[in-house]
Amino acid sequence: MQDVVVIEDPAAAEVSLDPIRARLLAELSEPGSAAMLAAKVGLPRQKVNYHLKTLEAHGLVEMVEERRKGNVNERIMRATAASYVISPAALASVAPDPGRSPDRLSASWLLAVAARLVRDVGTLITGAERARKRVATFAIDGEVRFASAADRAAFAEELAGAVTALVSKYHDESAEKGRDHRIVVAVHPSVKENR
């Protein structure tokens, strides 16, 4: 089982968003059969089996074992990942484009940049898995509490200056075997999760 799978196919995205199938995916973090799942989710085994076949057809679940139970073969299934992310590539014709209206202070632009990040990293993960390689990435995630809007603005200005200085120091346009890397730095109000 993979840690995260990025769904790029529109049909697979649609299948994964069905509430019953999403629940089955969650239940299949541990292997189970249609009969076992039916008891957990309160649906007939045949209906669960139908949903499992649909999920399997889109690569979201896989068979890990087949057992003979009486005169029936019981298929033990599990989710192909612990979690899933739907890439904006699944809705390519309406995906947000950060190039459309670049505005560092716009929440819409930040969302478009984040969508591009999900799409790009999803593509990298998929390619790396096929090549059986790792993707070289780095991320920082944290929180800061500002005393005022002026402090937040000063922080953003200082952060932009520090990042610009680092880019200027390390960017080498003439490096023949160099590889371009995208840098995304974002500051937004924290959202408290209800758990």
Side-chain angles (χ1 to χ4, degrees):
M1 175 186 291
Q2 299 174 49
D3 185 36
V4 178
V5 164
V6 180
I7 300 171
E8 295 177 331
D9 175 51
E14 181 181 359
V15 163
S16 71
L17 291 172
D18 175 88
I20 293 170
R21 293 178 186 142
R23 171 113 189 260
L24 293 174
L25 282 173
E27 293 291 342
L28 286 172
S29 61
E30 297 293 325
S33 68
M36 293 164 65
L37 289 167
K40 285 183 179 180
V41 299
L43 292 172
R45 182 189 53 76
Q46 295 86 348
K47 190 165 190 149
V48 170
N49 210 25
Y50 164 78
H51 288 300
L52 289 176
K53 286 182 180 181
T54 303
L55 289 166
E56 185 179 24
H58 291 282
L60 301 172
V61 300
E62 61 191 359
M63 185 175 70
V64 292
E65 183 183 352
E66 194 167 27
R67 299 178 189 155
R68 187 83 179 151
K69 198 166 189 179
N71 43 342
V72 194
N73 284 339
E74 183 179 55
R75 294 167 36 112
I76 307 300
M77 309 296 287
R78 75 168 177 202
T80 54
S83 56
Y84 299 87
V85 175
I86 297 175
S87 170
L91 297 168
S93 61
V94 292
D97 176 10
R100 199 172 299 137
S101 58
D103 174 4
R104 290 187 332 173
L105 301 177
S106 162
S108 296
W109 187 70
L110 175 57
L111 195 57
V113 169
R116 180 181 61 199
L117 179 68
V118 168
R119 185 199 66 213
D120 291 354
V121 174
T123 299
L124 289 168
I125 288 171
T126 301
E129 285 171 355
R130 286 188 191 128
R132 298 185 188 276
K133 294 186 176 182
R134 294 185 61 149
V135 180
T137 62
F138 172 75
I140 295 175
D141 180 31
E143 288 192 29
V144 59
R145 182 181 297 237
F146 298 109
S148 66
D151 285 353
R152 184 186 66 239
F155 175 86
E157 194 63 37
E158 194 173 331
L159 180 61
V163 171
T164 300
L166 281 170
V167 169
S168 296
K169 179 178 178 180
Y170 290 101
H171 179 69
D172 186 352
E173 192 69 42
S174 64
E176 288 182 28
K177 294 187 179 183
R179 183 172 184 188
D180 292 339
H181 285 70
R182 181 170 301 281
I183 298 167
V184 176
V185 178
V187 176
H188 64 82
S190 297
V191 176
K192 302 297 180 201
E193 293 183 38
N194 293 332
R195 294 195 179 227

